[in-house]
Amino acid sequence: QSSLTNSDIIFVKLHAPWEVLGKYAELMNVRMPFRRKIYYLHRRYKFMNRIEKQISRFRGWLPRKPMKLDKETLPDLEENDCYTAPFSQQRIHHFIIHNKDTFFNNATRSRIVHHILQRVKYEEGKNKIGLNRLLSNGSYEAAFPLHEGSYRSKNSIKTHGAENHRHLLYECWASWGVWYKYQPLDLVRRYFGEKIGLYFAWLGWYTGMLFPAAFIGLFVFLYGVTTLNHCQVSKEVCQATDIIMCPICDKYCPFMRLSDSCVYAKVTHLFDNGATVFFAVFMAVWATVFLEFWKRRRAVIAYDWDLIDWEEEEEEIRPQFEAKYSKKERMNPISGKPEPYQAFADKCSRLIVSASGIFFMICVVIAAVFGIVIYRVVTVSTFAAFKWALIRNNSQVATTGTAVCINFCIIMLLNVLYEKVALFLTNLEQPRTESEWENSFTLKMFLFQFVNLNSSTFYIAFFLGRFTGHPGAYLRLINRWRLEECHPSGCLIDLCMQMGIIMVLKQTWNNFMELGYPLIQNWWTRRKLRQEYGTQRKTSFPQWEKDYNLQPMNAYGLFDEYLEMILQFGFTTIFVAAFPLAPLLALLNNIIEIRLDAYKFVTQWRRPLASRAKDIGIWYGILEGIGILSVITNAFVIAVTSDFIPRLVYAYKYGPCAGQGEAGQKCMVGYVNASLSIFLVSDFENRSEPTSNGSEFSGSPLKYCRYRDYRDPPHSPVPYGYTLQFWHVLAARLAFIIVFEHLVFCIKHLISYLIPDLPKDLRDRMRREKYLIQEMMYEAELERLQKERKERKKNGKSYHNEWP
């Protein structure tokens, strides 16, 4: 049928009758319901059953749970309450068939039709098979299953019910009014298929698991707020009006009182306090618990959706692979048919070139970070000589803020480049099947974007202010630029700013690109149609015309959705010791993200092809890798970036409570003075000497200034050499890293060992179901034979058939 808006476009509508659906459902081993489930309760659980009945009776007096969906608006999901078995036309009488038109749901029907189209020969020739080749060579512009009518209705769903499944999904899932309710995952699975259903199940599980992490992170932050007035370190910083700090940059940066950094010392305490170590251990354990319980949750979903025994079909070879290696063939050990073959030497050479490309792009990221470092070094001096007093007095914060914004712009620009490079390198490798291509592309894109997003954060966490030298002997880049120092209150405030700004900006940008961009495109399409045909004509367009005007699903499927959440998971766990509010920001974003994705799938995108999957694929391994990396990075953040270890060493070894085994706030008296070294102003290099002599502080030129380090005074036998306290702090840091990592890894392995992948009740249900299915099949077959025998007796016919 010709398009109403463009006569050059022809729509080919396909419909599969019952006979075709039954034939291919049997070939594809599609599992269908054949008997309602009988829930079995063991005798030893009878007492618990009585208690549960009493509890449920008591709950009846309480208000209904607001997060649960109204069951009256949901259709009866019959297949979830039935035992299933592979469909067989010979045993069709075993299956529950009320209506042949609705026996196979729309997702199953579209999957069967796509299976047929992928195997139909469209032209004489060796490789002239399948719909994908017709799409790739431009014979067809698009191929998609239709949405089930409009997602809006003039009538209320509560009074008139849902007009179709799309309308039902919009009202109870994609609408903003139900943001606090659970997701109807069974409906999502029925409409979009198991693969998309599993993504939303994982996203919902991840969001739910963020609640305890966000609560504990908020508690750590509030603990810092409540203990702020009792913090001895911040008190000493705020009262240190007589301590003059050395300039933090060459020439233009002035001397400053330590008390001028009072606000930064207080802000640092909000994130770096006594609860930080506990929170880091908690998040490392949380990541393990999240993954282990997701395996259990996935097993339950796989059981409910009949994915336990499902195995992926033998995938077809990619047309590009076939065209490249069609001259050399060998027998496929599974199908027994000849297929193109890639030589081992050719495969290795392509992998080496691809690995070299990945290494080069990582070097590009490092070069970009190096550029940001130079920007920070140059700009801090520029801001220190700025005319505006607000910027001049906060030059380091202004430098960090602008550097983070520029870094974000570079990240977004490089992401566009990385996608093209990853696509080129993946095609260069010539993967054999689509799943191999998808896994290779996913790994490259994740590696690129992870390094791109976190490289500057790693620099601030572990390198900023660590290798600067000391006044009079600063280390410089290319013997020109003096390396940037940390603020007198420490580097943690820079790390917090980096994480907070990048996380908020990236999540805002992703949400706009996911929903805002398709909304604008669809709005522009509707506007052109209204101008050309008017509002009345537009409403009379058939469904295929309306769906064609929607945006197609991303070419990489669910890749962008998963990648965004995995990168967020990394941000939430890897540097969480420096930014305890990261889980809370992630939770707020994900609550919005679920409804944004749901709205996009239901209203803005064409209906994607329903496909099956047992799990989230390669992403689970990436999550495990991030969980391991988070333990290491948090150990280094606590030991190296924060002042937790120096404070601990001072309290037990050098403070007023030395040797008493105490470490309270009274033991921190004098810590700030002990953590600062003395520098003779006359020892400044010519290019580092400040323009002011510091006479504004005492009326006469300064002779000494202080800086953060553990070094001997200028008049000692070894001027500016490391003190014994420095070596004690270094040893304590190394010991903490080793103890922390081993302890947390032991806890992680213990938890993963103690939590079984399959819940016990699910294992028992699966075993009992197998037993009951066999019994039911025998009973159904016996009933059929008895009916046939009775009919023969009535007709007066007698046959002597053996028992089958």
Side-chain angles (χ1 to χ4, degrees), residues 637-658:
V637 166
I638 295 170
V640 177
T641 311
S642 78
D643 288 335
F644 175 77
I645 298 299
R647 289 199 299 262
L648 212 61
V649 171
Y650 178 81
Y652 283 103
K653 184 69 178 175
Y654 297 96
C657 306

Side-chain angles (χ1 to χ4, degrees), residues 206 408 453 497-509 568-569 571-572 579 581-587 589:
Y206 171 44
F408 175 75
L453 189 65
M497 286 182 64
Q498 173 81 11
M499 290 190 63
I501 294 175
I502 291 290
M503 196 169 184
V504 171
L505 287 180
K506 187 150 190 357
Q507 290 182 347
T508 304
W509 175 258
Q568 185 206 82
F569 178 81
F571 244 70
T572 306
F579 192 55
L581 293 179
L584 179 62
L585 292 179
L587 173 64
N589 175 79

Side-chain angles (χ1 to χ4, degrees), residues 744-771:
V744 175
F745 277 130
C746 286
I747 295 173
K748 284 169 69 72
H749 287 302
L750 180 64
I751 289 173
S752 60
Y753 173 76
L754 293 177
I755 301 176
D757 295 346
L758 209 62
K760 185 180 182 303
D761 60 336
L762 178 61
R763 189 185 295 111
D764 293 341
R765 282 163 61 191
M766 289 170 59
R767 289 175 179 172
R768 179 159 179 79
E769 181 173 331
K770 286 183 179 179
Y771 169 76

Side-chain angles (χ1 to χ4, degrees), residues 177 199 251 320 325 419 441 596 742 744:
Y199 163 71
K251 291 188 177 182
Q320 296 87 340
Y325 301 103
E419 184 174 343
F441 179 76
L596 278 180
H742 283 70
V744 175

Side-chain angles (χ1 to χ4, degrees), residues 672-740:
V672 171
N673 187 58
S675 64
L676 299 175
S677 299
I678 301 173
F679 178 71
L680 186 64
V681 173
S682 59
D683 290 343
F684 267 123
E685 300 171 296
N686 291 332
R687 53 182 171 179
S688 298
E689 190 171 355
T691 53
S692 66
N693 57 10
S695 57
E696 63 271 17
F697 295 106
S698 59
S700 60
L702 283 175
K703 292 184 178 181
Y704 300 98
C705 64
R706 309 292 293 272
Y707 61 99
R708 279 173 57 93
D709 209 342
Y710 297 101
R711 292 182 181 270
D712 291 321
H715 302 298
S716 61
V718 182
Y720 308 117
Y722 286 119
T723 63
L724 183 62
Q725 189 174 355
F726 169 82
W727 299 110
H728 283 163
V729 170
L730 180 62
R733 281 173 167 163
L734 294 176
F736 175 83
I737 291 171
I738 294 171
V739 172
F740 181 89

